[in-house]
Amino acid sequence: MSDVEETVETLRKMRAEGAGFLVMIEALRRDESFRLTPVRLMWVFQEAVGLPWPQFRDGLLEYLDDDLRPLVPEEEFERKAEELLGRHVTREG
């Protein structure tokens, strides 16, 4: 399994266990095999949970700064993230 596949699987597992969006971003930030950028963040969430890029961009990315940290209070950001993520079922690997 490639590093990218492992990263996707890790996110799927975290999501299935109820991890919040910011916890998952921090896991990506700590993953030395994953280069965290806005585009790669959108891509990995599409792969892991089926969240389409336009919904991610319009629903979440606008609330993150250049370092992918929330521009609004964390609770508000997590609420918005859950509204989006809750519509998508984790894709089977």
PDB file of all heavy atoms in Angstrom, residues 7 10-11 14 19-37 41 67-69:
ATOM      1  N   THR A   7      -2.640   7.041   3.985  1.00  0.00           N
ATOM      2  CA  THR A   7      -3.194   8.291   4.502  1.00  0.00           C
ATOM      3  C   THR A   7      -4.708   8.306   4.342  1.00  0.00           C
ATOM      4  O   THR A   7      -5.436   8.667   5.267  1.00  0.00           O
ATOM      5  CB  THR A   7      -2.553   9.502   3.790  1.00  0.00           C
ATOM      6  OG1 THR A   7      -1.149   9.490   4.044  1.00  0.00           O
ATOM      7  CG2 THR A   7      -3.150  10.812   4.267  1.00  0.00           C
ATOM      8  N   THR A  10      -6.232   5.933   6.812  1.00  0.00           N
ATOM      9  CA  THR A  10      -6.173   6.495   8.163  1.00  0.00           C
ATOM     10  C   THR A  10      -7.309   7.488   8.372  1.00  0.00           C
ATOM     11  O   THR A  10      -7.988   7.461   9.402  1.00  0.00           O
ATOM     12  CB  THR A  10      -4.811   7.176   8.413  1.00  0.00           C
ATOM     13  OG1 THR A  10      -3.791   6.181   8.337  1.00  0.00           O
ATOM     14  CG2 THR A  10      -4.771   7.859   9.761  1.00  0.00           C
ATOM     15  N   LEU A  11      -7.537   8.355   7.382  1.00  0.00           N
ATOM     16  CA  LEU A  11      -8.643   9.314   7.499  1.00  0.00           C
ATOM     17  C   LEU A  11      -9.988   8.615   7.555  1.00  0.00           C
ATOM     18  O   LEU A  11     -10.870   9.012   8.322  1.00  0.00           O
ATOM     19  CB  LEU A  11      -8.619  10.312   6.339  1.00  0.00           C
ATOM     20  CG  LEU A  11      -7.548  11.381   6.388  1.00  0.00           C
ATOM     21  CD1 LEU A  11      -7.691  12.312   5.192  1.00  0.00           C
ATOM     22  CD2 LEU A  11      -7.594  12.175   7.680  1.00  0.00           C
ATOM     23  N   MET A  14     -10.319   7.241  11.028  1.00  0.00           N
ATOM     24  CA  MET A  14     -10.545   8.321  11.990  1.00  0.00           C
ATOM     25  C   MET A  14     -11.972   8.824  11.909  1.00  0.00           C
ATOM     26  O   MET A  14     -12.624   9.050  12.931  1.00  0.00           O
ATOM     27  CB  MET A  14      -9.564   9.472  11.744  1.00  0.00           C
ATOM     28  CG  MET A  14      -8.132   9.143  12.094  1.00  0.00           C
ATOM     29  SD  MET A  14      -7.008  10.520  11.741  1.00  0.00           S
ATOM     30  CE  MET A  14      -7.436  11.621  13.114  1.00  0.00           C
ATOM     31  N   ALA A  19     -13.790  11.102  14.602  1.00  0.00           N
ATOM     32  CA  ALA A  19     -12.840  12.218  14.717  1.00  0.00           C
ATOM     33  C   ALA A  19     -13.386  13.460  14.029  1.00  0.00           C
ATOM     34  O   ALA A  19     -14.018  13.373  12.983  1.00  0.00           O
ATOM     35  CB  ALA A  19     -11.501  11.836  14.085  1.00  0.00           C
ATOM     36  N   GLY A  20     -13.134  14.598  14.628  1.00  0.00           N
ATOM     37  CA  GLY A  20     -13.520  15.869  14.040  1.00  0.00           C
ATOM     38  C   GLY A  20     -12.568  16.277  12.927  1.00  0.00           C
ATOM     39  O   GLY A  20     -11.461  15.742  12.802  1.00  0.00           O
ATOM     40  N   PHE A  21     -12.998  17.224  12.136  1.00  0.00           N
ATOM     41  CA  PHE A  21     -12.225  17.667  10.984  1.00  0.00           C
ATOM     42  C   PHE A  21     -10.861  18.222  11.383  1.00  0.00           C
ATOM     43  O   PHE A  21      -9.851  17.903  10.770  1.00  0.00           O
ATOM     44  CB  PHE A  21     -13.025  18.720  10.217  1.00  0.00           C
ATOM     45  CG  PHE A  21     -12.445  19.050   8.882  1.00  0.00           C
ATOM     46  CD1 PHE A  21     -12.707  18.255   7.791  1.00  0.00           C
ATOM     47  CD2 PHE A  21     -11.631  20.150   8.721  1.00  0.00           C
ATOM     48  CE1 PHE A  21     -12.171  18.551   6.554  1.00  0.00           C
ATOM     49  CE2 PHE A  21     -11.095  20.463   7.487  1.00  0.00           C
ATOM     50  CZ  PHE A  21     -11.370  19.662   6.398  1.00  0.00           C
ATOM     51  N   LEU A  22     -10.810  19.035  12.421  1.00  0.00           N
ATOM     52  CA  LEU A  22      -9.536  19.631  12.833  1.00  0.00           C
ATOM     53  C   LEU A  22      -8.558  18.588  13.356  1.00  0.00           C
ATOM     54  O   LEU A  22      -7.355  18.698  13.125  1.00  0.00           O
ATOM     55  CB  LEU A  22      -9.767  20.738  13.866  1.00  0.00           C
ATOM     56  CG  LEU A  22     -10.534  21.952  13.343  1.00  0.00           C
ATOM     57  CD1 LEU A  22     -10.830  22.930  14.471  1.00  0.00           C
ATOM     58  CD2 LEU A  22      -9.758  22.628  12.225  1.00  0.00           C
ATOM     59  N   VAL A  23      -9.061  17.562  14.005  1.00  0.00           N
ATOM     60  CA  VAL A  23      -8.201  16.464  14.460  1.00  0.00           C
ATOM     61  C   VAL A  23      -7.604  15.757  13.246  1.00  0.00           C
ATOM     62  O   VAL A  23      -6.418  15.410  13.237  1.00  0.00           O
ATOM     63  CB  VAL A  23      -8.999  15.480  15.352  1.00  0.00           C
ATOM     64  CG1 VAL A  23      -8.215  14.203  15.601  1.00  0.00           C
ATOM     65  CG2 VAL A  23      -9.384  16.146  16.660  1.00  0.00           C
ATOM     66  N   MET A  24      -8.413  15.572  12.206  1.00  0.00           N
ATOM     67  CA  MET A  24      -7.916  14.902  11.005  1.00  0.00           C
ATOM     68  C   MET A  24      -6.884  15.768  10.282  1.00  0.00           C
ATOM     69  O   MET A  24      -5.872  15.252   9.788  1.00  0.00           O
ATOM     70  CB  MET A  24      -9.077  14.522  10.090  1.00  0.00           C
ATOM     71  CG  MET A  24      -9.928  13.409  10.690  1.00  0.00           C
ATOM     72  SD  MET A  24     -11.195  12.760   9.564  1.00  0.00           S
ATOM     73  CE  MET A  24     -12.424  14.052   9.678  1.00  0.00           C
ATOM     74  N   ILE A  25      -7.106  17.084  10.249  1.00  0.00           N
ATOM     75  CA  ILE A  25      -6.111  17.968   9.633  1.00  0.00           C
ATOM     76  C   ILE A  25      -4.796  17.891  10.407  1.00  0.00           C
ATOM     77  O   ILE A  25      -3.719  17.831   9.814  1.00  0.00           O
ATOM     78  CB  ILE A  25      -6.598  19.433   9.564  1.00  0.00           C
ATOM     79  CG1 ILE A  25      -7.678  19.599   8.513  1.00  0.00           C
ATOM     80  CG2 ILE A  25      -5.434  20.375   9.232  1.00  0.00           C
ATOM     81  CD1 ILE A  25      -8.236  21.010   8.414  1.00  0.00           C
ATOM     82  N   GLU A  26      -4.876  17.881  11.726  1.00  0.00           N
ATOM     83  CA  GLU A  26      -3.649  17.800  12.528  1.00  0.00           C
ATOM     84  C   GLU A  26      -2.926  16.479  12.289  1.00  0.00           C
ATOM     85  O   GLU A  26      -1.694  16.439  12.271  1.00  0.00           O
ATOM     86  CB  GLU A  26      -3.947  18.004  14.012  1.00  0.00           C
ATOM     87  CG  GLU A  26      -4.241  19.442  14.362  1.00  0.00           C
ATOM     88  CD  GLU A  26      -3.178  20.419  13.886  1.00  0.00           C
ATOM     89  OE1 GLU A  26      -1.965  20.180  14.108  1.00  0.00           O
ATOM     90  OE2 GLU A  26      -3.530  21.432  13.277  1.00  0.00           O
ATOM     91  N   ALA A  27      -3.664  15.403  12.098  1.00  0.00           N
ATOM     92  CA  ALA A  27      -3.033  14.119  11.783  1.00  0.00           C
ATOM     93  C   ALA A  27      -2.297  14.213  10.453  1.00  0.00           C
ATOM     94  O   ALA A  27      -1.183  13.698  10.314  1.00  0.00           O
ATOM     95  CB  ALA A  27      -4.080  13.009  11.746  1.00  0.00           C
ATOM     96  N   LEU A  28      -2.902  14.887   9.472  1.00  0.00           N
ATOM     97  CA  LEU A  28      -2.239  15.078   8.182  1.00  0.00           C
ATOM     98  C   LEU A  28      -1.002  15.958   8.338  1.00  0.00           C
ATOM     99  O   LEU A  28       0.028  15.716   7.705  1.00  0.00           O
ATOM    100  CB  LEU A  28      -3.195  15.707   7.168  1.00  0.00           C
ATOM    101  CG  LEU A  28      -4.349  14.824   6.714  1.00  0.00           C
ATOM    102  CD1 LEU A  28      -5.333  15.634   5.880  1.00  0.00           C
ATOM    103  CD2 LEU A  28      -3.839  13.621   5.943  1.00  0.00           C
ATOM    104  N   ARG A  29      -1.107  16.955   9.172  1.00  0.00           N
ATOM    105  CA  ARG A  29       0.012  17.866   9.408  1.00  0.00           C
ATOM    106  C   ARG A  29       1.217  17.112  10.002  1.00  0.00           C
ATOM    107  O   ARG A  29       2.362  17.390   9.671  1.00  0.00           O
ATOM    108  CB  ARG A  29      -0.444  18.986  10.349  1.00  0.00           C
ATOM    109  CG  ARG A  29       0.413  20.216  10.372  1.00  0.00           C
ATOM    110  CD  ARG A  29      -0.108  21.279  11.325  1.00  0.00           C
ATOM    111  NE  ARG A  29      -1.477  21.695  11.150  1.00  0.00           N
ATOM    112  CZ  ARG A  29      -1.924  22.524  10.199  1.00  0.00           C
ATOM    113  NH1 ARG A  29      -1.103  23.026   9.318  1.00  0.00           N
ATOM    114  NH2 ARG A  29      -3.205  22.849  10.134  1.00  0.00           N
ATOM    115  N   ARG A  30       0.943  16.140  10.857  1.00  0.00           N
ATOM    116  CA  ARG A  30       2.011  15.356  11.497  1.00  0.00           C
ATOM    117  C   ARG A  30       2.543  14.240  10.596  1.00  0.00           C
ATOM    118  O   ARG A  30       3.611  13.702  10.852  1.00  0.00           O
ATOM    119  CB  ARG A  30       1.509  14.755  12.800  1.00  0.00           C
ATOM    120  CG  ARG A  30       1.293  15.773  13.898  1.00  0.00           C
ATOM    121  CD  ARG A  30       0.985  15.100  15.225  1.00  0.00           C
ATOM    122  NE  ARG A  30      -0.106  14.134  15.145  1.00  0.00           N
ATOM    123  CZ  ARG A  30      -1.393  14.409  15.327  1.00  0.00           C
ATOM    124  NH1 ARG A  30      -1.768  15.632  15.612  1.00  0.00           N
ATOM    125  NH2 ARG A  30      -2.301  13.460  15.253  1.00  0.00           N
ATOM    126  N   ASP A  31       1.795  13.881   9.558  1.00  0.00           N
ATOM    127  CA  ASP A  31       2.179  12.789   8.658  1.00  0.00           C
ATOM    128  C   ASP A  31       3.298  13.265   7.739  1.00  0.00           C
ATOM    129  O   ASP A  31       3.071  14.048   6.819  1.00  0.00           O
ATOM    130  CB  ASP A  31       0.965  12.349   7.845  1.00  0.00           C
ATOM    131  CG  ASP A  31       1.236  11.190   6.918  1.00  0.00           C
ATOM    132  OD1 ASP A  31       2.415  10.855   6.665  1.00  0.00           O
ATOM    133  OD2 ASP A  31       0.255  10.619   6.416  1.00  0.00           O
ATOM    134  N   GLU A  32       4.505  12.788   7.990  1.00  0.00           N
ATOM    135  CA  GLU A  32       5.665  13.234   7.217  1.00  0.00           C
ATOM    136  C   GLU A  32       5.603  12.812   5.756  1.00  0.00           C
ATOM    137  O   GLU A  32       6.271  13.409   4.911  1.00  0.00           O
ATOM    138  CB  GLU A  32       6.950  12.718   7.870  1.00  0.00           C
ATOM    139  CG  GLU A  32       7.200  13.356   9.215  1.00  0.00           C
ATOM    140  CD  GLU A  32       8.463  12.833   9.877  1.00  0.00           C
ATOM    141  OE1 GLU A  32       9.259  12.141   9.216  1.00  0.00           O
ATOM    142  OE2 GLU A  32       8.646  13.144  11.068  1.00  0.00           O
ATOM    143  N   SER A  33       4.784  11.818   5.435  1.00  0.00           N
ATOM    144  CA  SER A  33       4.682  11.362   4.043  1.00  0.00           C
ATOM    145  C   SER A  33       3.646  12.158   3.251  1.00  0.00           C
ATOM    146  O   SER A  33       3.512  11.973   2.048  1.00  0.00           O
ATOM    147  CB  SER A  33       4.326   9.872   3.993  1.00  0.00           C
ATOM    148  OG  SER A  33       2.996   9.659   4.430  1.00  0.00           O
ATOM    149  N   PHE A  34       2.908  13.047   3.928  1.00  0.00           N
ATOM    150  CA  PHE A  34       1.842  13.807   3.279  1.00  0.00           C
ATOM    151  C   PHE A  34       2.188  15.294   3.282  1.00  0.00           C
ATOM    152  O   PHE A  34       2.400  15.881   4.342  1.00  0.00           O
ATOM    153  CB  PHE A  34       0.507  13.591   4.003  1.00  0.00           C
ATOM    154  CG  PHE A  34      -0.666  14.231   3.322  1.00  0.00           C
ATOM    155  CD1 PHE A  34      -1.273  13.607   2.255  1.00  0.00           C
ATOM    156  CD2 PHE A  34      -1.154  15.450   3.753  1.00  0.00           C
ATOM    157  CE1 PHE A  34      -2.363  14.187   1.618  1.00  0.00           C
ATOM    158  CE2 PHE A  34      -2.231  16.040   3.130  1.00  0.00           C
ATOM    159  CZ  PHE A  34      -2.835  15.406   2.060  1.00  0.00           C
ATOM    160  N   ARG A  35       2.235  15.885   2.115  1.00  0.00           N
ATOM    161  CA  ARG A  35       2.484  17.328   2.007  1.00  0.00           C
ATOM    162  C   ARG A  35       1.144  18.051   2.066  1.00  0.00           C
ATOM    163  O   ARG A  35       0.341  17.956   1.144  1.00  0.00           O
ATOM    164  CB  ARG A  35       3.200  17.634   0.688  1.00  0.00           C
ATOM    165  CG  ARG A  35       3.597  19.080   0.576  1.00  0.00           C
ATOM    166  CD  ARG A  35       4.530  19.296  -0.618  1.00  0.00           C
ATOM    167  NE  ARG A  35       4.608  20.698  -0.890  1.00  0.00           N
ATOM    168  CZ  ARG A  35       4.038  21.288  -1.935  1.00  0.00           C
ATOM    169  NH1 ARG A  35       3.396  20.582  -2.833  1.00  0.00           N
ATOM    170  NH2 ARG A  35       4.140  22.585  -2.109  1.00  0.00           N
ATOM    171  N   LEU A  36       0.886  18.731   3.161  1.00  0.00           N
ATOM    172  CA  LEU A  36      -0.398  19.375   3.402  1.00  0.00           C
ATOM    173  C   LEU A  36      -0.488  20.718   2.675  1.00  0.00           C
ATOM    174  O   LEU A  36       0.237  21.656   2.995  1.00  0.00           O
ATOM    175  CB  LEU A  36      -0.614  19.577   4.910  1.00  0.00           C
ATOM    176  CG  LEU A  36      -1.964  20.135   5.323  1.00  0.00           C
ATOM    177  CD1 LEU A  36      -3.094  19.212   4.887  1.00  0.00           C
ATOM    178  CD2 LEU A  36      -1.999  20.337   6.833  1.00  0.00           C
ATOM    179  N   THR A  37      -1.355  20.767   1.680  1.00  0.00           N
ATOM    180  CA  THR A  37      -1.679  21.994   0.943  1.00  0.00           C
ATOM    181  C   THR A  37      -3.196  22.019   0.791  1.00  0.00           C
ATOM    182  O   THR A  37      -3.847  20.982   0.951  1.00  0.00           O
ATOM    183  CB  THR A  37      -1.035  22.016  -0.462  1.00  0.00           C
ATOM    184  OG1 THR A  37      -1.650  20.988  -1.258  1.00  0.00           O
ATOM    185  CG2 THR A  37       0.472  21.825  -0.405  1.00  0.00           C
ATOM    186  N   LEU A  41      -5.393  18.671   0.517  1.00  0.00           N
ATOM    187  CA  LEU A  41      -6.393  18.466   1.560  1.00  0.00           C
ATOM    188  C   LEU A  41      -7.752  18.152   0.932  1.00  0.00           C
ATOM    189  O   LEU A  41      -8.434  17.209   1.336  1.00  0.00           O
ATOM    190  CB  LEU A  41      -6.479  19.693   2.466  1.00  0.00           C
ATOM    191  CG  LEU A  41      -7.430  19.586   3.651  1.00  0.00           C
ATOM    192  CD1 LEU A  41      -6.951  18.525   4.636  1.00  0.00           C
ATOM    193  CD2 LEU A  41      -7.549  20.939   4.336  1.00  0.00           C
ATOM    194  N   ASP A  67      -2.408  28.560   6.409  1.00  0.00           N
ATOM    195  CA  ASP A  67      -1.793  27.410   7.075  1.00  0.00           C
ATOM    196  C   ASP A  67      -2.816  26.330   7.410  1.00  0.00           C
ATOM    197  O   ASP A  67      -2.528  25.400   8.164  1.00  0.00           O
ATOM    198  CB  ASP A  67      -1.089  27.852   8.359  1.00  0.00           C
ATOM    199  CG  ASP A  67       0.122  28.709   8.076  1.00  0.00           C
ATOM    200  OD1 ASP A  67       0.828  28.437   7.082  1.00  0.00           O
ATOM    201  OD2 ASP A  67       0.363  29.668   8.845  1.00  0.00           O
ATOM    202  N   LEU A  68      -4.035  26.496   6.860  1.00  0.00           N
ATOM    203  CA  LEU A  68      -5.137  25.552   7.055  1.00  0.00           C
ATOM    204  C   LEU A  68      -5.553  25.441   8.515  1.00  0.00           C
ATOM    205  O   LEU A  68      -5.841  24.381   9.036  1.00  0.00           O
ATOM    206  CB  LEU A  68      -4.788  24.186   6.461  1.00  0.00           C
ATOM    207  CG  LEU A  68      -4.537  24.234   4.951  1.00  0.00           C
ATOM    208  CD1 LEU A  68      -3.992  22.913   4.457  1.00  0.00           C
ATOM    209  CD2 LEU A  68      -5.797  24.624   4.203  1.00  0.00           C
ATOM    210  N   ARG A  69      -5.579  26.604   9.162  1.00  0.00           N
ATOM    211  CA  ARG A  69      -6.085  26.706  10.530  1.00  0.00           C
ATOM    212  C   ARG A  69      -7.351  27.570  10.475  1.00  0.00           C
ATOM    213  O   ARG A  69      -7.455  28.475   9.658  1.00  0.00           O
ATOM    214  CB  ARG A  69      -5.033  27.322  11.433  1.00  0.00           C
ATOM    215  CG  ARG A  69      -3.771  26.452  11.492  1.00  0.00           C
ATOM    216  CD  ARG A  69      -2.821  26.885  12.582  1.00  0.00           C
ATOM    217  NE  ARG A  69      -1.531  26.247  12.471  1.00  0.00           N
ATOM    218  CZ  ARG A  69      -1.252  24.990  12.798  1.00  0.00           C
ATOM    219  NH1 ARG A  69      -2.194  24.225  13.268  1.00  0.00           N
ATOM    220  NH2 ARG A  69      -0.039  24.511  12.661  1.00  0.00           N
TER     221      ARG A  69
END
